[in-house]
């Protein structure tokens, strides 16, 4: 059994191009000028170099699910930690508690009934594992690995941005584009916005980012104590 | 896997509860019931956090629910990073519809158990609904606009199907819900 449908294996990694972040801007990206192919290549190379410089990362995140029809925004907040090459911790702290861990080859997910951690018996961790591994790869600037499934377009302007548009028509039915904004120094991600069909979108912004902090191994341990 | 994904058809309640902690209601611990009538407002929207257990495997996700009693509802589910899993609705005159299903959940589960559980928990009872299900409620909390306290923790179990849903109410808001919220054309 696959935990995530195939299309989400390609979408989730783009959510986590993180090496640190400035407070994110609003939902509408401030990208301006589309770069020519040669310029894109140069910029991607520079991004990869800069992102690779961070071997660890810790940040707070705010995730907003915007529902146009319902005129509502579902907000969750939490903490992200990453360590090369493939350790990732995604913990939602409010309005509920949920924890997702990747530690090399092992994946673990927890909920917290009654405030106590309970490890979920995932039906098919391989799919989620692949997603998380791709996230880890993107964190190291491996954008080129996404060209198989996305058209990539870089923009310059007030903030450099990367837009990924699915190549698959089927996928496009559900994901119109993923928009990533970078800091001026091109060494961090400001925000990730996923545009779904209609006017719905998910926006993840990062704050209080720490690059290359010392992170205890226990932070990524799949076995909570 | 398709069966398990199909079980991601969970009722979604929105409300403002504290971190869910099973508590004993004043009248005493409530034993599992086939079903009780929780007095919800005529229309509301709610957000839930849901853990589904099916044949020993588990998944959790967030749900968004609109209900206009006695017979209209819409439920949307989201995965870990905000991506939609499914969007389903039932509206008088238009019937039940799967509005979208990016989670590729088996449709028979969406139209079957999912819809049934929705009716069990949030709509007035219909003869025959609920056979095989046991429901328990805990952690009651008052909400503005609700005539009575509402359960912030609900467990729905069907032992024959080896199915269990643990539903925590995250946010609850009584409100008018015009037809357009259930529009699925």
């Amino acid at each position: 059994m696959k935990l995530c449908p195939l299309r989400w294996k390609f979408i989730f990694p783009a959510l986590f191009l993180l090496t640190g972040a400035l407070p994110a801007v609003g939902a509408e990206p401030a990208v301006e000028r589309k770069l020519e192919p040669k310029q894109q290549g140069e910029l991607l190379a520079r991004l990869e170099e800069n992102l690779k410089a961070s071997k660890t990362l810790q940040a707070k995140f705010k995730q907003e699910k915007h529902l146009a029809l319902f005129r509502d925004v579902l907000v969750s907040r939490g903490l992200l930690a990453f360590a090369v090459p493939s350790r990732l911790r995604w913990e939602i702290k409010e309005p509920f508690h949920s924890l997702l861990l990747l530690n090399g080859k092992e994946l673990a997910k927890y909920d917290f009934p009654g405030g106590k951690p309970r490890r979920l018996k995932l039906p098919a961790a391989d799919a989620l594992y692949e997603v998380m591994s791709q996230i880890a790869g993107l964190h190291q600037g491996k954008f080129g690995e996404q060209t198989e499934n996305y058209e990539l377009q870089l923009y310059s302007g007030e903030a450099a941005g990367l837009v990924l548009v699915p190549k698959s028509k089927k996928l496009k039915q559900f994901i119109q584009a993923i928009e990533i904004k970078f800091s001026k120094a091109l060494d961090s991600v400001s925000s990730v916005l996923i545009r779904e069909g209609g006017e719905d979108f998910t926006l993840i912004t990062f704050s209080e980012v720490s690059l290359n902090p010392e992170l205890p191994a226990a932070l990524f341990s799949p076995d909570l104590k | 896997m398709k069966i398990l994904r199909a079980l991601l058809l969970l009722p979604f309640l929105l409300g403002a509860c504290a971190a869910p902690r099973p508590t004993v209601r004043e009248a005493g611990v409530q034993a599992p019931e086939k079903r009780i009538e929780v007095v919800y407002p005529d229309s509301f929207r709610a957000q839930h956090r849901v853990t589904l257990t099916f044949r020993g495997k588990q998944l959790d996700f967030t749900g968004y629910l609109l209900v206009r009693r006695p017979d209209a509802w819409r439920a949307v589910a989201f995965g870990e990073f905000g991506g939609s899993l499914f969007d389903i609705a039932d509206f008088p005159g238009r019937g039940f519809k799967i509005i979208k299903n990016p989670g590729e959940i088996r449709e028979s589960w969406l139209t079957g158990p999912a819809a049934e559980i929705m009716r069990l928990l949030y709509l007035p009872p219909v003869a025959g609904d609920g056979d095989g299900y046991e429901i328990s409620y805990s952690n009651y909390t008052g909400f503005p606009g609700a005539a009575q306290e509402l359960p912030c923790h609900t467990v729905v179990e069907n032992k024959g199907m080896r199915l269990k849903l643990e539903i925590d109410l995250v946010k609850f808001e009584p409100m008018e819900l015009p037809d357009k919220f259930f529009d699925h054309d």
Side-chain angles (χ1 to χ4, degrees):
Chain A
M1 290 183 175
K2 288 186 178 180
L3 181 61
C4 305
L6 183 64
R7 62 178 64 85
W8 284 110
K9 291 197 295 185
F10 304 126
I11 295 166
F12 288 156
L15 295 176
F16 301 93
L17 300 175
L18 306 174
T19 55
L22 298 174
V25 296
E28 294 298 324
V31 293
E32 296 178 7
R33 186 174 66 87
K34 185 175 176 179
L35 295 179
E36 297 300 319
K38 184 173 182 291
Q39 294 172 312
Q40 285 199 138
E42 292 171 350
L43 184 54
L44 282 174
R46 195 172 149 201
L47 280 168
E48 181 171 353
E49 182 183 348
N50 290 347
L51 293 174
K52 277 184 176 177
S54 296
K55 302 302 180 185
T56 61
L57 161 77
Q58 199 165 34
K60 290 185 177 179
F61 67 82
K62 176 183 176 184
Q63 180 172 304
E64 302 173 24
K65 178 71 181 181
H66 290 251
L67 302 166
L69 174 63
F70 306 137
R71 292 176 295 163
D72 203 3
V73 181
L74 308 183
V75 180
S76 58
R77 299 172 192 273
L79 300 170
L80 164 75
F82 170 77
V84 298
S86 57
R87 286 178 293 168
L88 199 62
R89 180 183 177 106
W90 181 261
E91 183 173 11
I92 296 175
K93 305 281 272 185
E94 53 181 271
F96 55 86
H97 196 180
S98 172
L99 176 62
L100 188 56
L101 292 162
L102 174 67
N103 190 340
K105 294 291 185 184
E106 192 173 1
L107 183 74
K109 189 143 195 322
Y110 287 85
D111 66 355
F112 292 79
K116 295 181 179 179
R118 173 176 66 176
R119 185 167 180 171
L120 300 182
K121 302 177 184 72
L122 299 176
D126 56 337
L128 190 55
Y129 172 82
E130 186 176 335
V131 168
M132 296 288 279
S133 296
Q134 289 185 40
I135 292 169
L138 283 170
H139 173 77
Q140 297 170 75
K142 299 177 181 177
F143 302 109
E145 295 178 358
Q146 299 304 316
T147 57
E148 178 183 351
N149 302 302
Y150 294 94
E151 297 288 347
L152 272 62
Q153 183 59 57
L154 280 161
Y155 293 82
S156 65
E158 182 178 338
L162 172 65
V163 178
L164 298 92
V165 177
K167 291 181 176 178
S168 160
K169 286 184 181 178
K170 188 178 179 184
L171 184 55
K172 270 186 186 175
Q173 292 178 352
F174 305 103
I175 300 294
Q176 294 176 345
I178 300 169
E179 301 173 13
I180 302 162
K181 297 181 70 177
F182 301 96
S183 65
K184 289 184 179 179
L186 296 180
D187 62 357
S188 65
V189 170
S190 297
S191 63
V192 178
L193 188 150
I194 303 174
R195 296 193 183 277
E196 298 185 45
E199 296 179 34
D200 293 351
F201 63 90
T202 300
L203 174 65
I204 302 176
T205 60
F206 305 95
S207 62
E208 298 185 36
V209 176
S210 177
L211 300 179
N212 290 313
E214 282 199 27
L215 299 177
L219 201 61
F220 304 100
S221 172
D223 296 315
L224 298 186
K225 295 179 181 178
Chain B
M1 173 44 105
K2 284 188 177 180
I3 293 173
L4 182 59
R5 283 204 303 243
L7 292 177
L8 296 178
L9 305 177
L10 307 176
F12 311 99
L13 304 174
L14 302 175
C17 289
R21 292 178 184 169
T23 59
V24 176
R25 201 178 186 188
E26 286 181 4
V29 177
Q30 182 181 10
E33 298 276 355
K34 185 171 183 178
R35 186 205 175 157
I36 64 172
E37 180 78 15
V38 178
V39 183
Y40 288 107
D42 288 342
S43 64
F44 60 89
R45 66 182 179 186
Q47 180 185 351
H48 298 101
R49 187 66 185 169
V50 182
T51 299
L52 158 69
T53 303
F54 179 61
R55 295 181 182 177
K57 300 299 184 182
Q58 294 171 309
L59 290 170
D60 61 349
F61 61 91
T62 295
Y64 191 90
L65 174 69
L66 302 177
V67 173
R68 193 175 72 191
R69 291 161 67 94
D71 52 13
W73 57 268
R74 184 169 180 173
V76 187
F78 307 108
E80 194 66 26
F81 306 115
S84 296
L85 294 176
F86 63 83
D87 184 352
I88 55 177
D90 195 356
F91 187 69
R94 296 184 181 178
F96 179 88
K97 182 166 181 176
I98 299 170
I99 298 168
K100 61 180 176 180
N101 185 14
E104 297 180 334
I105 295 165
R106 184 177 296 176
E107 293 192 357
S108 60
W109 283 96
L110 289 170
T111 61
E116 187 173 26
I117 291 172
M118 289 295 301
R119 287 194 297 271
L120 275 175
L121 294 181
Y122 307 114
L123 301 182
V126 174
D129 271 357
D131 287 345
Y133 290 95
E134 293 181 351
I135 306 171
S136 62
Y137 303 90
S138 59
N139 193 18
Y140 284 79
T141 302
F143 293 91
Q148 298 182 2
E149 291 184 328
L150 302 175
C152 284
H153 186 69
T154 304
V155 179
V156 182
E157 190 167 9
N158 186 318
K159 292 177 180 173
M161 292 173 62
R162 295 178 60 196
L163 166 67
K164 182 178 180 181
L165 302 174
E166 297 163 84
I167 305 160
D168 288 306
L169 183 58
V170 174
K171 184 178 175 185
F172 186 87
E173 184 180 9
M175 62 181 296
E176 293 294 321
L177 293 172
D179 290 356
K180 68 173 185 177
F181 284 112
F182 304 96
D183 183 4
H184 49 56
D185 290 330

